[in-house]
Amino acid sequence: MMLFSVTRSLLRGAQLIDVHRNRDVHRWVAPTLRELRRRREKMGPEAELPRSSHSDWNYSAEIFAFGKRLQESFDPNVLQQAFTHQSFIEQETRKQAAVGIEQPVLGVNDNRELIAQGERLIADYVEAFLLTALPRLPRQFISSVREALTSEAQLAHVSSHLGTKDIIMAAEFPIGDTLMASTLKAIIAALQRSSGDERCFLFVRDFICGQLNQRDLYEYLNIPDPLCTLQQYCKERGLADPEPRLIGNVGKNTLLAAYNVGIYSDRKLLGTGYGENQMTAVQEAASDCLRQLFGTEVHMKPVDFRLTLKDCARNMAQHTSDKVKTRQ
């Protein structure tokens, strides 16, 4: 009984405290907050400001932290140059000229040279990696995969997730995909100058080629007519012409019709496919044949992301020699 009375008195005291606490909020607070919210909604969303406009901004610390986040050793001057675009140099030159400085000295160069070098490095490393990791895939489709991995949107996606958006020094704001993609190219060139070819290749392998992880490689090939591509592939390699054969069908002349077609070459089954009509089934079967011939089956062995520059050296040298012959 005594415990019950003590509990009841404690609860009554808590209620009194809550009532007293609520009385501390004045009546003008809620209408004021509603009015401030109405004015804020009327003005619209606040304009996005660059990170450098904050009072705690320290560019040297940001450059240092960027390399440490990636666990890479960058030359600070080269890395700062990689983040500095030509538009920023021109903007600062105009500002200093406006205050009477005839020959402004900024102490940093723009990253145009690094962008050009980084673009060549990315193309060479990605193609050498694909040639080594996918040896059965024809060269023309290797180029298709490389173009998809090195597209502006893909490079900008990688660059944004590396945290480059707030460190880029450019006149344009907000930072667009073009600037982020070109900055990533410059960073790769800066890494090659700072740490050498091996670290640069591993960087490209992990962050750019790594986008292939758990992806269907066949989606990158962009094959509009699989049967025609299969016929051309067999002709180039001296194989017998592929012949579609109807294996079976169910529900003919109904809305749920299904056809099973197999494609043979020299009496050997290359692949099968299903479809609601024979033409669709033939194209699906041809796609299945190409998957197996190219080594890009749905159940294919995962791409080996442990390849090093030494493993890809032969394909990289061949790619370089092919480019030299093309230029000549």
Side-chain angles (χ1 to χ4, degrees), residues 162-181:
L162 293 180
T164 62
K165 186 176 181 180
D166 293 330
I167 319 177
I168 294 176
M169 301 177 68
E172 175 186 342
F173 188 83
I175 305 299
D177 287 352
T178 303
L179 278 178
M180 285 194 290

Side-chain angles (χ1 to χ4, degrees), residues 213-226:
N213 187 33
Q214 298 184 355
R215 295 293 300 272
D216 185 4
L217 293 178
Y218 194 78
E219 297 177 356
Y220 291 100
L221 304 187
N222 191 20
I223 302 176
D225 189 351

Side-chain angles (χ1 to χ4, degrees), residues 155-207:
L155 293 180
H157 172 77
V158 175
S159 179
S160 64
H161 284 79
L162 293 180
T164 62
K165 186 176 181 180
D166 293 330
I167 319 177
I168 294 176
M169 301 177 68
E172 175 186 342
F173 188 83
I175 305 299
D177 287 352
T178 303
L179 278 178
M180 285 194 290
S182 59
T183 301
L184 180 61
K185 298 175 184 177
I187 291 172
I188 290 173
L191 180 61
Q192 192 272 337
R193 295 187 181 184
S194 302
S195 302
D197 293 329
E198 181 66 29
R199 295 300 304 176
C200 184
F201 174 82
L202 296 179
F203 185 93
V204 173
R205 182 200 67 183
D206 293 341
F207 291 107

Side-chain angles (χ1 to χ4, degrees), residues 15-79:
Q15 292 176 356
L16 292 175
I17 292 174
D18 290 341
V19 171
H20 180 70
R21 184 181 301 166
N22 291 336
R23 288 176 180 173
D24 288 341
V25 180
H26 299 283
R27 294 183 178 180
W28 56 266
V29 173
T32 302
L33 293 177
R34 284 194 293 268
E35 177 63 19
L36 292 175
R37 180 179 179 181
R38 186 189 67 81
R39 294 183 183 183
R40 186 168 61 251
E41 292 177 350
K42 182 178 179 180
M43 294 176 61
E46 297 182 5
E48 184 179 1
L49 297 176
R51 180 70 177 84
S52 57
S53 63
H54 295 194
S55 58
D56 59 347
W57 176 253
N58 187 333
Y59 191 72
S60 299
E62 294 289 342
I63 290 292
F64 177 81
F66 179 81
K68 294 305 178 182
R69 283 199 306 269
L70 300 180
Q71 297 183 1
E72 300 288 353
S73 298
F74 287 97
D75 184 340
N77 295 327
V78 179
L79 184 58

Side-chain angles (χ1 to χ4, degrees), residues 53-277:
S53 63
H54 295 194
S55 58
D56 59 347
W57 176 253
N58 187 333
Y59 191 72
S60 299
E62 294 289 342
I63 290 292
F64 177 81
F66 179 81
K68 294 305 178 182
R69 283 199 306 269
L70 300 180
Q71 297 183 1
E72 300 288 353
S73 298
F74 287 97
D75 184 340
N77 295 327
V78 179
L79 184 58
Q80 183 176 356
Q81 180 183 354
F83 282 108
T84 306
H85 286 265
Q86 183 183 7
S87 60
F88 176 80
I89 299 293
E90 295 175 350
Q91 182 186 52
E92 292 299 313
T93 302
R94 288 193 299 268
K95 287 182 179 179
Q96 295 192 20
V99 296
I101 301 177
E102 298 180 354
Q103 296 181 350
V105 178
L106 300 179
V108 64
N109 298 322
D110 62 77
N111 59 3
R112 285 178 295 177
E113 181 182 352
L114 292 175
I115 291 174
Q117 180 185 357
E119 187 172 2
R120 292 192 299 269
L121 290 172
I122 291 174
D124 293 343
Y125 289 156
V126 171
E127 183 146 351
F129 175 84
L130 294 175
L131 288 171
T132 307
L134 304 171
R136 293 161 56 188
L137 192 62
R139 179 64 67 91
Q140 57 179 343
F141 298 116
I142 289 287
S143 300
S144 300
V145 179
R146 175 179 58 79
E147 291 174 1
L149 291 177
T150 59
S151 64
E152 181 179 291
Q154 190 68 33
L155 293 180
H157 172 77
V158 175
S159 179
S160 64
H161 284 79
L162 293 180
T164 62
K165 186 176 181 180
D166 293 330
I167 319 177
I168 294 176
M169 301 177 68
E172 175 186 342
F173 188 83
I175 305 299
D177 287 352
T178 303
L179 278 178
M180 285 194 290
S182 59
T183 301
L184 180 61
K185 298 175 184 177
I187 291 172
I188 290 173
L191 180 61
Q192 192 272 337
R193 295 187 181 184
S194 302
S195 302
D197 293 329
E198 181 66 29
R199 295 300 304 176
C200 184
F201 174 82
L202 296 179
F203 185 93
V204 173
R205 182 200 67 183
D206 293 341
F207 291 107
I208 298 181
C209 299
Q211 302 300 311
L212 294 175
N213 187 33
Q214 298 184 355
R215 295 293 300 272
D216 185 4
L217 293 178
Y218 194 78
E219 297 177 356
Y220 291 100
L221 304 187
N222 191 20
I223 302 176
D225 189 351
L227 182 59
C228 181
T229 304
L230 177 62
Q231 292 172 347
Q232 183 179 0
Y233 179 87
C234 293
K235 182 178 179 181
E236 291 176 352
R237 283 156 180 77
L239 303 177
D241 292 337
E243 300 179 2
R245 292 285 184 261
L246 182 63
I247 297 177
N249 65 86
V250 294
K252 188 177 181 180
N253 299 326
T254 67
L255 294 176
L256 299 177
Y259 295 86
N260 183 14
V261 171
I263 294 183
Y264 294 81
S265 176
D266 195 17
R267 294 183 296 181
K268 181 180 179 181
L269 180 64
L270 299 181
T272 60
Y274 292 86
E276 63 272 12
N277 54 59

Side-chain angles (χ1 to χ4, degrees), residues 259-306:
Y259 295 86
N260 183 14
V261 171
I263 294 183
Y264 294 81
S265 176
D266 195 17
R267 294 183 296 181
K268 181 180 179 181
L269 180 64
L270 299 181
T272 60
Y274 292 86
E276 63 272 12
N277 54 59
Q278 294 187 22
M279 183 58 65
T280 303
V282 168
Q283 295 295 339
E284 290 297 323
S287 297
D288 184 57
C289 295
L290 292 175
R291 283 179 178 272
Q292 298 191 43
L293 293 172
F294 295 167
T296 58
E297 305 94 334
V298 177
H299 56 277
M300 66 174 289
K301 183 180 179 181
V303 178
D304 187 5
F305 292 106
R306 297 171 299 177

